[in-house]
């Protein structure tokens, strides 16, 4: 494991690079980086500037695939209640939502075009968590771009967790893609969606090989989930979380943290990271990192996927479709449809 400081601006970022010296070099390998860094909250242009610096640093390590955390663009509203109690919403909470809505991005839109250009400029496959704005509804979304600078598509989180359901809409079966790329088959599932076995099964059936899991979960149990998915799916799992402190959010009273006995100090880690990369055999290749902002990089030996599938192919030789089967409804669901 090699450690080197990087320069993304602000606090130092640590890059963790696992060179996989023992891997079979005759097999196809992919160098992948997961980014563990905080949003510049309420400032989307500054967040995109920070993203470019981090992408450039990852590309400097020879990375071909770069994964960012859940809603890196737009931000994860840790501690915010949006002024909600059962039966009422405060004026401040409504204003908080207005500002959050303003920091979100349209898909497609100028921010998507910039991200596509960054992927092409640095020649990386880019997987980026964003807050998507569709009219007045927001979605927790992952965007994917190829190394030629082409926007490939999006995945909207199917089931926001707990209070997230108040400020994010629900995705549907039309946005659960797996992209067949020169690096392998790549897809993304967001945070606690990863606990939905039927959704995972849908991705396994699409042949996912590099499973991206951007998250906001820094609990130790998250690592167990990621290891299980790597073993169950016979795939590489990349999970990226933000590392952010109280000072990365606006100060009170503009932004206040609920769920605490008292306002956290500026240096309090409100999300301590835990990003990691795990192989199909369950081996941890990089991370988990709980120390600060970081780039975690590993070489993925794609031959490991075949070796793992020999043991267990969940939708292949280990499936029993005459007993258990899954139907996925892939049509987009609209609240209003117009006919001629």
């Amino acid at each position: 494991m090699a450690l080197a400081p990087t320069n993304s601006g602000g606090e130092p970022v640590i890059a963790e690079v696992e060179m996989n010296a023992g891997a079979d070099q005759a097999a196809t390998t992919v160098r992948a980086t997961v980014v563990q860094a905080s949003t510049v909250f309420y400032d989307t242009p500054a967040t995109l500037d920070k993203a470019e610096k981090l992408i450039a640093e990852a590309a400097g390590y020879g990375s071909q695939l770069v994964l960012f955390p859940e809603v890196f663009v737009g931000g994860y509203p840790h501690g915010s209640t949006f002024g909600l109690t059962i039966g009422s919403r405060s004026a401040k909470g409504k204003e908080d939502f207005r500002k959050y809505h303003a920091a979100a991005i349209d898909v497609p839109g100028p921010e998507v075009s910039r991200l596509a250009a960054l992927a092409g400029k640095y020649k990386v496959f880019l997987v980026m968590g964003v807050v998507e704005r569709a009219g007045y509804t927001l979605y927790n979304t992952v965007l994917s771009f190829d190394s030629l600078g082409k926007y490939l598509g999006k995945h909207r989180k199917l089931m926001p967790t707990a209070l997230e359901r108040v400020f994010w809409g629900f995705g549907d079966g039309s946005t659960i893609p797996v992209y067949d790329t020169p690096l392998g088959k790549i897809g993304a599932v967001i945070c606690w969606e990863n606990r939905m076995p039927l959704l995972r099964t849908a991705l396994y059936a699409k042949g996912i090989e590099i499973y991206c899991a951007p998250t906001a979960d820094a609990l130790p149990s998250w690592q167990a989930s990621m290891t299980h998915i790597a073993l169950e799916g016979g795939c590489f799992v990349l999970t990226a979380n933000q590392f952010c402190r109280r000072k990365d959010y606006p100060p009170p009273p503009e932004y206040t943290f609920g769920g605490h006995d008292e306002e956290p100090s500026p240096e309090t880690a409100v999300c301590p990271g835990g990003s990691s990369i795990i192989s199909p055999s369950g081996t941890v290749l990089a991370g988990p990192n709980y120390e600060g902002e970081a780039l975690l990089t590993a070489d993925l030996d794609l031959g490991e996927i075949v070796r793992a599938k020999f043991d267990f192919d969940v939708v292949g030789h280990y499936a029993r479709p005459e007993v258990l089967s899954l139907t996925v409804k892939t049509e987009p669901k609209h609240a209003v449809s117009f006919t001629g």
Side-chain angles (χ1 to χ4, degrees):
M1 180 75 69
L3 297 178
T6 66
N7 256 325
S8 68
E11 293 186 0
V13 178
I14 298 300
E16 299 188 7
V17 183
E18 171 58 64
M19 298 303 183
N20 284 9
D24 178 6
Q25 296 303 309
T28 301
T29 61
V30 172
R31 181 160 291 184
T33 291
V34 296
V35 174
Q36 179 166 290
S38 66
T39 302
V40 184
F41 207 77
Y42 287 157
D43 193 338
T44 295
T47 298
L48 291 172
D49 290 342
K50 182 174 183 177
E52 177 166 9
K53 293 176 182 178
L54 293 164
I55 294 167
E57 291 175 29
Y61 292 111
S63 293
Q64 300 157 280
L65 168 64
V66 182
L67 169 65
F68 277 76
E70 179 177 9
V71 292
F72 181 78
V73 177
Y76 192 90
H78 283 286
S80 179
T81 65
F82 288 96
L84 287 163
T85 57
I86 299 298
S88 68
R89 289 157 296 281
S90 71
K92 181 182 183 305
K94 292 180 180 181
E95 176 61 12
D96 289 345
F97 181 77
R98 184 200 65 76
K99 290 186 286 189
Y100 194 57
H101 180 273
I105 67 171
D106 297 325
V107 180
E111 295 84 2
V112 177
S113 296
R114 181 174 179 189
L115 290 168
L118 293 177
K121 178 180 179 180
Y122 296 103
K123 296 179 173 54
V124 297
F125 191 101
L126 177 63
V127 182
M128 175 67 72
V130 307
V131 181
E132 177 192 357
R133 180 176 55 226
Y136 299 102
T137 297
L138 303 180
Y139 293 93
N140 182 336
T141 299
V142 170
L143 307 180
S144 295
F145 306 85
D146 71 15
S147 60
L148 299 177
K150 178 182 178 183
Y151 166 59
L152 298 179
K154 67 186 178 185
H155 165 61
R156 285 176 172 172
K157 190 173 185 179
L158 283 177
M159 177 53 68
T161 302
L163 195 63
E164 293 175 357
R165 297 170 197 167
V166 171
F167 52 88
W168 287 331
F170 291 43
D172 61 32
S174 68
T175 66
I176 50 173
V178 170
Y179 303 105
D180 194 354
T181 80
L183 306 182
K185 295 181 179 179
I186 303 172
V189 181
I190 304 167
C191 205
W192 276 21
E193 284 188 316
N194 286 281
R195 295 187 173 190
M196 300 172 70
L198 300 185
L199 177 57
R200 297 198 308 268
T201 302
L203 293 181
Y204 301 152
K206 291 187 174 187
I208 193 166
E209 295 171 323
I210 302 176
Y211 184 114
C212 298
T215 189
D217 187 347
L219 296 173
S221 58
W222 182 252
Q223 300 303 318
S225 292
M226 296 298 95
T227 301
H228 171 78
I229 291 169
L231 291 167
E232 177 183 68
C235 53
F236 288 94
V237 173
L238 283 57
T239 183
N241 195 4
Q242 297 196 32
F243 184 96
C244 46
R245 302 184 188 276
R246 173 62 184 90
K247 66 183 181 182
D248 294 317
Y249 290 81
E254 180 184 1
Y255 193 103
T256 56
F257 272 72
H260 295 263
D261 293 334
E262 58 185 27
E263 174 70 16
S265 70
E267 295 298 324
T268 299
V270 296
C271 184
S275 304
S276 62
I277 301 175
I278 302 171
S279 80
S281 66
T283 301
V284 177
L285 302 179
N289 182 300
Y290 298 101
E291 302 302 317
E293 293 200 341
L295 300 179
L296 293 84
T297 300
D299 289 337
L300 316 183
D301 169 14
L302 300 187
E304 287 196 46
I305 296 171
V306 181
R307 293 189 284 272
K309 297 286 191 181
F310 178 66
D311 288 337
F312 184 80
D313 184 356
V314 66
V315 292
H317 63 75
Y318 222 90
R320 288 292 304 279
E322 75 280 14
V323 179
L324 302 168
S325 62
L326 171 66
T327 300
V328 181
K329 300 176 181 178
T330 59
E331 303 83 6
K333 305 298 181 184
H334 302 290
V336 179
S337 297
F338 295 91
T339 61

